Amino acid sequence: MARLGWGGSVTTAVGVAAGVGAAQLGFAYGLGVIDWAPVEPAATGTAWYASLAWATWIAAVSTIAGAVCAQRLGERGRDGDTATGGPLRRVTLAVAGAVGALITVLLVAVPARVATVPDTFTPQSLAAGYAAVGVLVGLLTAIWALHSRAAATNVIATVGWIWLLVMVSVTDGVVAGRGLTTAQLGIWQISTDSAGFWVRDYVYWPGVLLTAGSALLIGVLAARRTARVAEWRLGAAVSGAAGPLLVAVAYFVAVPRLAAVTPAQVSAHFVAPYAVVVGAAGSVLVAALAERAERRAAARQAVVPRQRTGDWDDGAFDEDLASAGEPIDVAGAAGTATTTATRPDGAGPVDARAGADPAAVGSQPDATGSSTAGTGRARSPRRSRATTPARNAKPEPTTPTAEPPLAPPTTLPADPPNAIPPATPKSRPTR
């Protein structure tokens, strides 16, 4: 599907906001959540304030739903998790969502004409005013949700959780025989008759745990994916307050005076601000853990283990030979190799040069005790550390020097008794 342009995105935002607002209000009227004219006169005040809170919250949620849905359809086919589009586009989509959500003002004002509230001559105008405030709150929150994907996810998850609580609360009331009664926004009171569930007669602690726990869980899950990216981590850290903030604002606007409400509504008003703090704490915790994991990964990448190479270290090998008592010298100037060995009787060194007369040199015992005589080969020279030329070093100019005279040949002792005599080639008989 092709991405929507400016005109298509604006039209989508208006249509989705209007449809979501009408659907939620119809659902609330059908379940008895919003009741402007309750059957029991004693429940008039409770139903009135609860209906105002629901009307404000539904108008705000409808605005956000229209703007976010238009943005997501416009981003279809693009990669990445960040919200795209410039600030002008985001503001335009938020305004379009607010325009579509204005239908909630009409759908709230018309049924509210039957309400009978003390000290209120035009209840429909007052109810419409609360719905308009909800649209304004939704406009500001929609700009935030369009900028931060984690905030939009938090709002959507919170809306789904609240309507799930509504279904559970209404079902519990029908099963208990109370019929369709007004449900509190964002809270489910399991049993208001038990005195053990109340703290000082105005705090319902099961509802506190349920609301705070859901805000914490939604804040953690909604910010988990976005917090992994460093550029979006700040928005993810504060996204946990987006959904609970709408509930807190709806309660604050609808009931400025807590003296006129029941203890159940006082508990709901008391829990709403703390749910905002708990939800924000959950998202901040996720962002902090993501940053800590990123630092550990960077520290592990910075420590690179030293790799072992297969290069041969000539210097170490020469040091081992030198420590074994075998002096080795290589003359590189004249191109001749000189090998110095030690006599077995300790009489002195024996000097042999490559290319000299084998008869003049005689036989020399090797390292294994055997002798080499008349073979015409000199022992292969070994490199020493002192004479090994440095790598990448430039050769120094040398001056020709006179070759020292050869030492007179010396008489070597006879071979030891256990020496193996040289093999004599057999002569083939002539015919």
Side-chain angles (χ1 to χ4, degrees), residues 6-372:
W6 276 79
S9 298
V10 170
T11 304
T12 302
V14 173
V16 171
V20 171
Q24 288 187 105
L25 285 175
F27 198 64
Y29 287 142
L31 295 177
V33 174
I34 298 179
D35 190 3
W36 301 111
V39 178
E40 299 179 1
T44 301
T46 302
W48 169 255
Y49 291 116
S51 300
L52 290 180
W54 276 104
T56 305
W57 182 80
I58 289 176
V61 168
S62 302
T63 304
I64 300 171
V68 171
C69 182
Q71 185 193 42
R72 297 293 175 87
L73 292 178
E75 293 175 351
R76 178 171 295 184
R78 298 180 182 178
D79 297 332
D81 295 331
T82 183
T84 58
L88 181 60
R89 183 183 180 86
R90 297 170 188 168
V91 173
T92 302
L93 292 180
V95 172
V99 172
L102 288 176
I103 193 174
T104 58
V105 177
L106 179 62
L107 294 178
V108 166
V110 173
R113 293 180 300 174
V114 298
T116 56
V117 183
D119 302 332
T120 302
F121 298 100
T122 56
Q124 64 273 15
S125 300
L126 185 60
Y130 278 99
V133 172
V135 172
L136 180 60
V137 173
L139 173 63
L140 300 177
T141 311
I143 298 176
W144 178 16
L146 295 179
H147 182 75
S148 175
R149 184 176 291 269
T153 305
N154 188 280
V155 171
I156 295 173
T158 304
V159 171
W161 170 252
I162 288 177
W163 281 112
L164 178 62
L165 285 181
V166 169
M167 296 294 298
V168 173
S169 178
V170 171
T171 304
D172 179 67
V174 172
V175 171
R178 296 190 299 268
L180 298 177
T181 57
T182 303
Q184 297 298 324
L185 176 62
I187 193 171
W188 173 39
Q189 294 180 356
I190 303 174
S191 176
T192 58
D193 299 334
S194 179
F197 291 158
W198 292 88
V199 178
R200 295 184 179 180
D201 296 334
Y202 65 88
V203 176
Y204 186 70
W205 65 264
V208 173
L209 294 179
L210 183 63
T211 304
S214 61
L216 178 62
L217 182 61
I218 293 174
V220 169
L221 297 179
R224 182 179 179 183
R225 183 178 181 181
T226 311
R228 299 176 182 176
V229 184
E231 292 78 5
W232 311 329
R233 190 165 297 153
L234 180 60
V238 297
S239 63
L245 183 62
L246 294 177
V247 179
V249 171
Y251 274 122
F252 177 77
V253 172
V255 185
R257 296 178 301 172
L258 298 180
V261 296
T262 61
Q265 291 177 319
V266 172
S267 178
H269 284 75
F270 179 79
V271 173
Y274 290 97
V276 177
V277 177
V278 173
S283 58
V284 169
L285 177 62
V286 171
L289 293 178
E291 183 177 2
R292 182 181 179 183
E294 183 178 356
R295 290 180 179 178
R296 289 185 175 181
R300 286 194 299 265
Q301 293 178 0
V303 178
V304 179
R306 183 178 180 182
Q307 301 293 335
R308 296 181 60 89
T309 59
D311 297 340
W312 183 266
D313 191 356
D314 295 336
F317 182 72
D318 294 339
E319 287 181 359
D320 296 339
L321 293 179
S323 62
E326 298 183 6
I328 301 172
D329 189 10
V330 177
T336 59
T338 303
T339 305
T340 305
T342 305
R343 291 178 180 273
D345 55 356
V350 178
D351 191 5
R353 297 187 180 181
D357 189 4
V361 177
S363 62
Q364 300 177 5
D366 55 4
T368 60
S370 61
S371 61
T372 58

Side-chain angles (χ1 to χ4, degrees), residues 364-421:
Q364 300 177 5
D366 55 4
T368 60
S370 61
S371 61
T372 58
T375 59
R377 295 182 300 174
R379 296 179 62 185
S380 59
R382 297 181 179 178
R383 300 170 60 187
S384 63
R385 186 176 184 181
T387 60
T388 302
R391 298 180 180 178
N392 302 327
K394 297 182 179 179
E396 298 181 357
T398 58
T399 56
T401 57
E403 184 177 0
L406 296 175
T410 58
T411 303
L412 299 177
D415 295 337
N418 56 353
I420 302 174

